[in-house]
Amino acid sequence: MEARWVVRPGPPLSGCVRVSGATKNAGLKQMAAALLVPGVTVLRNIPPVADLDVMIDLLRAIGAEVEWGGPEELRIDATGPLWPEAPYELVSRMRASINVLGPLLARCGEARVAMPGGDNIGSRKLDMHFRGLEAMGAELEVVHGFIEARTNVLAGARVVLEFPSVGATENLLTAAVLAKGQTVIENAAREPEITDLAAFLNRTGARVIGAGTSTIEVEGVDELVPVESELMGDRVEAGTLLMACGMAGGEISVEGTRLEHLEMVVLKLAEMGMRVSPTPDGLWARAEGRLDAVDVATLPYPGFPTDFMPMAVSVLSVADGTAIVTENVFDNRFTFVDELNRMGADVRTEGRHAVVRGVPRLSGAPVRALDVRAGAALVLAGLAADGETTVFDCHHVARGYVDLPGKLRALGADVEAVPAG
Ligand code: EPU
């Protein structure tokens, strides 16, 4: 496990990198969904990140056999028998563990899943997961820190989500594919990772239409069949590299991603003065001189994604002018700002808002990664800072990114991972 990453300012970025598969935000969900399928599911383009090991341990604890079939290929045999329990030690290490709830209820008729706590970015409630599954006939209660869920028969239902929650949409979708009759999820999350999950489910024989829109319709089927499937490219990694270009200047190409997955991010970077255009297999970007400040407000997809907010604050911290950044999705995602201010940024927060007054240059400092995207934001800040920036606790960043220092080095940045010990 890397203990710290050291970032030094370098020349403008140049070159081309290919993004990795979206293991954290798409792959972990499809691994959980593989529990629905008796037989061997093969997932490709699923490179290892730290959270993947936790999901492997969880699936094995439940009774699936999980093996690597190649460097980025996982084989998950969920023939069973399955023990529908997600222990606290694993759930507390990774929130996406909650994604086994829907598949276990659908496949086994019961599930016992440790309640994930809050985390560094907010309280992260599960009420919509509960209400949706209850509408489908499940009984749920929280007993001694565990969600205990059971059902005689899951029945299709119409569920209106109060907010387009990614996790609730995924749990309801994966429960609905084996339910009796039709389920309609209204105000569903529209993130590309949901579309990727639905495409995977449909390959296994599920009948899902409307994924990627606010209304998802699922016609329950009796059984799913094992398939081989390939994950989408990681849009957050792609956007992180574009923002790195915004920080350091230069001209780069990012392959393995799609403009439509990053439209709002690209729109904002263009408003700041960057040039970004699609290429046959990705995006090309150029940044020259100081960028302009623009206001940013996060919203569910296709709005400006909350996962990019910390990086946007880094980019704006050295932009020309003052920007207001509003976080509408999580209730506590600005804690990293204190770390950025230690590097000479001028960012003040008040509740859901941050006022970012651009300074010409940051100053390298030792800082701490508080979560995966906040850590990435500090690495980017180091690209526009004089002297050396050491980002501690980079294991948080490694939870979601495949070798971010290596990808940045491939573009000419000076970023070194210093191993622990
Ligand atoms: N919420 C509720 N009740 C619920 C469910 C959600 O109030 O029943 C609230 C949450 O508390 C939060 C908001 O709704 O304030 C959004 O939560 P959502 O369920 O959409 O998020 P999530 O599924 O917990 C996933 C990603 C996050 C990403 C969000 C939003 C994974 C493993 N996590 O979380 O990714 O920020 O969607 O796009 O896919 C990250 O990659 O850094 C990350 C945190």
Side-chain angles (χ1 to χ4, degrees), residues 86-110:
Y88 176 73
E89 307 81 81
L90 297 173
V91 176
S92 61
R93 281 165 58 199
M94 185 192 63
R95 260 199 93 77
S97 309
I98 191 67
N99 274 65
V100 301
L101 180 60
L104 287 179
L105 254 182
R107 176 93 189 269
C108 309
E110 58 178 328

Side-chain angles (χ1 to χ4, degrees), residues 3-7 365 367-369 375 378-379 389-394:
R4 59 189 200 274
W5 293 351
V6 179
V7 189
V367 288
R368 198 162 287 286
L378 294 171
V379 173
T389 298
T390 305
V391 185
F392 288 90
D393 285 351
C394 273

Side-chain angles (χ1 to χ4, degrees), residues 326-347:
T326 305
E327 171 57 47
N328 290 310
V329 178
F330 289 107
D331 51 22
N332 189 27
R333 211 168 189 175
F334 279 126
T335 46
F336 72 97
V337 157
D338 290 338
E339 297 297 303
L340 197 59
N341 284 345
R342 297 186 59 255
M343 297 178 66
D346 181 356
V347 186

Side-chain angles (χ1 to χ4, degrees), residues 24-26 28-29 95-96 99 119 121-130 163-168 170 189 191 235-236 305-307 328-331 333 371-373:
K24 177 178 171 293
N25 289 8
L28 300 179
K29 324 303 180 63
R95 260 199 93 77
N99 274 65
D119 64 13
I121 61 176
S123 56
R124 308 188 76 172
K125 295 196 296 279
L126 295 173
D127 53 322
M128 287 183 261
H129 300 238
F130 280 36
F163 178 92
S165 152
V166 172
E170 290 164 344
E191 270 71 0
R235 69 186 165 109
V236 190
T306 170
D307 290 343
N328 290 310
V329 178
F330 289 107
D331 51 22
R333 211 168 189 175
D371 70 67
V372 47
R373 308 304 171 195

Side-chain angles (χ1 to χ4, degrees), residues 24-144:
K24 177 178 171 293
N25 289 8
L28 300 179
K29 324 303 180 63
Q30 292 177 36
M31 289 171 73
L35 290 172
L36 291 162
V37 188
V40 182
T41 295
V42 179
L43 296 178
R44 301 215 170 89
N45 198 28
I46 183 160
V49 293
D51 274 5
L52 182 79
D53 292 331
V54 185
M55 188 56 99
I56 290 177
D57 288 347
L58 179 55
L59 295 188
R60 285 182 178 151
I62 289 169
E65 285 175 24
V66 187
E67 285 167 17
W68 287 102
E72 300 195 351
E73 178 184 301
L74 264 190
R75 302 172 68 82
I76 302 167
D77 184 349
T79 304
L82 302 181
W83 294 270
E85 169 148 348
Y88 176 73
E89 307 81 81
L90 297 173
V91 176
S92 61
R93 281 165 58 199
M94 185 192 63
R95 260 199 93 77
S97 309
I98 191 67
N99 274 65
V100 301
L101 180 60
L104 287 179
L105 254 182
R107 176 93 189 269
C108 309
E110 58 178 328
R112 191 164 179 269
V113 178
M115 246 333 243
D119 64 13
N120 290 338
I121 61 176
S123 56
R124 308 188 76 172
K125 295 196 296 279
L126 295 173
D127 53 322
M128 287 183 261
H129 300 238
F130 280 36
R131 274 203 297 275
L133 292 170
E134 279 166 356
M136 295 171 72
E139 285 172 25
L140 291 102
E141 54 180 341
V142 178
V143 184
H144 301 303

Side-chain angles (χ1 to χ4, degrees), residues 270-327:
E271 252 186 84
M272 290 181 202
M274 272 180 81
R275 287 180 56 202
V276 184
S277 13
T279 60
D281 185 29
L283 292 166
W284 165 93
R286 179 192 286 159
E288 274 169 323
R290 205 170 167 195
L291 299 181
D292 298 322
V294 299
D295 293 343
V296 170
T298 68
L299 280 176
Y301 191 87
F304 190 91
T306 170
D307 290 343
F308 286 99
M309 185 278 288
M311 296 173 247
V313 171
S314 281
V315 175
L316 292 167
S317 73
V318 287
D320 189 7
T322 297
I324 299 189
V325 177
T326 305
E327 171 57 47

Side-chain angles (χ1 to χ4, degrees), residues 195-233:
T195 313
D196 214 47
L197 173 63
F200 164 73
L201 291 168
N202 281 342
R203 269 177 226 127
T204 67
R207 292 174 60 196
V208 181
I209 55 171
T213 76
S214 297
T215 304
I216 301 181
E217 291 174 23
V218 186
E219 227 25 92
V221 297
D222 291 336
E223 206 185 23
L224 303 176
V225 294
V227 291
E228 304 191 357
S229 187
E230 184 164 326
L231 283 195
M232 62 181 281

